[in-house]
Amino acid sequence: MPKVLKYKKALVILGPTTTGKTEVAFTIAKRFGGELINGDKFYLFSGFPTSTGLSSFLVTGEVPTHLYQELEPRVDRLSLIDYLLKVNSLVPNILRRNKLPIIEGCSYGYTNAIIEVNKLLPKPKYGPFIGLRWPKGYDLQSKVEERVNSLFREGAISEIERELKESHKYSYPMRKGVITVPIVEMLEGRINENKAKDKIIIGMLDSAYSALRKFLDIKDTIWLKHDSKKFEETISEIMRLVKKENL
């Protein structure tokens, strides 16, 4: 059993999609006494676990989670101010339980807002900020194609059909999701399944590269090239940085 560390700050794990953030965050929370806080605007919504790509790690109940699937589809979205208010309330409560708050996600707006607020605090309560990126030679397109095929097998189409029947066509996830929009077009007969998959793949690739460019502009982020084959090295390095930050 790892030695219990007195945590003073929240760990923030950021980066684009498919970099393994959620699995890394989940593993750290499980091993070292952490609680996960969502930093992805689409994961906030209920009703779309498959079509928003919500990881199966987050529904196991093995670690406490916060701000996942909390908003009804009819809610437009959570503003930066409202998100910060919720996170700023959660973090001290988690720390008082001597648990490690771990914010993970790929929404640049939420993450950048946390960083800017942290700079203004007399006693910063967030850090380290760890960015995960793909390792050298990583075949992002193949990974995205694999994920898209998996989403279709796991019921993304039936999930969107259900939400359409619930009159949620104009909800934020349905209007803005790179996965949901092409599936709606397919269900409405405007494109076929292969075209829908192609549009999703292109959308996910564009979103991933765009997110990385934005995240790279955030100062004070420690970037790690995360290779799933060297998973334990990533965990060890992040915990080394967490311990250093909490001395």
Side-chain angles (χ1 to χ4, degrees), residues 29-76:
K30 188 175 179 182
R31 290 187 190 174
F32 300 95
E35 299 189 19
L36 298 182
I37 301 174
N38 174 34
D40 187 295
K41 59 188 175 183
F42 287 103
Y43 291 170
L44 286 165
F45 290 90
S46 63
F48 302 90
T50 303
S51 47
T52 57
L54 186 70
S55 172
S56 59
F57 292 110
L58 300 171
V59 295
T60 62
E62 293 183 70
V63 300
T65 60
H66 307 274
L67 301 183
Y68 292 92
Q69 301 190 86
E70 290 200 358
L71 297 183
E72 291 296 321
R74 287 187 176 86
V75 176
D76 187 50

Side-chain angles (χ1 to χ4, degrees), residues 1-18:
M1 187 74 177
K3 184 179 179 181
V4 176
L5 179 70
K6 181 67 175 178
Y7 300 116
K8 302 174 184 176
K9 298 180 182 180
L11 164 64
V12 181
I13 300 177
L14 56 93
T17 185
T18 74

Side-chain angles (χ1 to χ4, degrees), residues 133-140 224-227 229-230:
R133 58 187 303 178
W134 311 290
K136 185 177 180 179
Y138 185 79
D139 188 348
L140 179 59
L224 303 178
K225 291 183 178 180
H226 174 53
D227 187 340
K229 296 177 182 177
K230 300 178 180 178

Side-chain angles (χ1 to χ4, degrees), residues 14-28:
L14 56 93
T17 185
T18 74
T19 50
K21 298 181 303 298
T22 303
E23 185 177 6
V24 167
F26 175 86
T27 301
I28 291 173

